[in-house]
Amino acid sequence: MKWNLLAYNQKLKLLGLTAVIFLFICYQYALKKTWYAYTAYQQNAINAEQSGNFINLFPGLQQQEKKMADLIKNHTADTVNSPKETLAFITSFCKLNKLKLTEYLPMQITENSNFNIATRQISVEGSYTLLLKLLFELENQQFYGRLCSANFKSIEDPYSHKIILTCTLYLQNLILK
């Protein structure tokens, strides 16, 4: 095929076809690798910027981890001594403050993925202010477990026709698996 013998339309079609083939070859050997390198650079730049943010957050994360570890440590139960100590504290508190311990149910254990949760149900009768004092002691001063709930109920005694206030409280402890 001689170039001079071709018509103008044929030359134009042949040049267009070679231009397309040339662009494809350039893309395969030069532009494609450049495009991949550029996208990798952008991703690395984003990662570097985010890692700078993570470095700034690291001390805060360590502090939060320490708080969580302390919280778990405070609410982890010693399954042998904790129920006896809790019962002894509540009994002595009831004697000192003229409250009546009416119910102390054994632990109910609920299974969880990392911990088992032991829940104790305790019912105490007495005046509202003394019951609140007991709740305050259990929640803030003593570490026999997390006070997760308290339920106040007043019942009229059918014999003496007096109203009796009962507080049922629930203490939870974590048991490591």
Side-chain angles (χ1 to χ4, degrees), residues 73-173:
K73 182 181 174 186
N74 286 341
H75 295 296
T76 302
D78 178 9
T79 55
V80 176
N81 295 328
S82 184
K84 293 176 187 177
E85 292 173 0
T86 306
L87 182 59
F89 168 74
I90 291 176
T91 304
S92 65
F93 189 89
C94 288
K95 284 181 183 179
L96 288 174
N97 293 296
K98 297 178 184 173
L99 295 172
K100 182 180 176 185
L101 178 64
T102 58
E103 187 176 47
Y104 186 87
L105 295 179
M107 278 194 246
Q108 297 174 353
I109 297 177
T110 306
E111 293 190 20
N112 202 345
S113 60
N114 295 330
F115 298 99
N116 289 336
I117 300 172
T119 305
R120 247 181 254 116
Q121 181 179 343
I122 304 163
S123 295
V124 180
E125 289 180 2
S127 70
Y128 183 71
T129 55
L130 293 175
L131 290 173
L132 284 180
K133 188 177 176 182
L134 172 64
L135 292 177
F136 179 79
E137 280 287 322
L138 286 173
E139 193 169 21
N140 297 317
Q141 306 298 325
Q142 305 298 324
F143 296 104
Y144 295 112
R146 181 178 76 93
L147 181 64
C148 65
S149 178
N151 184 18
F152 288 93
K153 190 185 296 184
S154 60
I155 302 171
E156 184 178 353
D157 185 18
Y159 300 111
S160 64
H161 299 289
K162 290 183 180 180
I163 295 177
I164 300 170
L165 181 64
T166 304
C167 177
T168 304
L169 51 106
Y170 300 90
L171 291 173
Q172 286 185 339
N173 290 99

